[in-house]
Amino acid sequence: MKTKIRQSNFELMRIVSMFFIVAWHFICHGGLWYGTSGVTHYLLDFLAALFMVHVNSFVLLTGYFN
């Protein structure tokens, strides 16, 4: 019988990706962008772009392990 080796680095990446997906939804759909201006708005733009990459990585990880 073949045993599965647990790959904790991919599981950690999946957990971090889930957290960033929730944060991205909070920024985009929670209304944070609408009430900001200046440096705060640019910071939220940067964070949203960073968090959007994690959506793609979560999809890739899910497809790879299924």
Side-chain angles (χ1 to χ4, degrees):
M1 177 163 56
K2 200 175 202 183
T3 60
K4 282 189 165 184
I5 298 174
R6 191 174 191 124
Q7 297 177 344
S8 60
N9 53 348
F10 287 123
E11 291 188 21
L12 178 64
M13 185 176 174
R14 187 180 291 178
I15 291 169
V16 169
S17 294
M18 285 182 207
F19 173 73
F20 283 165
I21 289 169
V22 170
W24 181 78
H25 278 90
F26 184 71
I27 289 172
C28 292
H29 302 296
L32 286 179
W33 262 339
Y34 303 118
T36 61
S37 63
V39 176
T40 308
H41 186 73
Y42 290 119
L43 179 66
L44 288 176
D45 280 341
F46 174 73
L47 289 175
L50 179 71
F51 294 162
M52 196 175 295
V53 172
H54 288 281
V55 173
N56 296 334
S57 66
F58 181 77
V59 169
L60 287 173
L61 277 174
T62 303
Y64 179 75
F65 286 110
N66 281 339

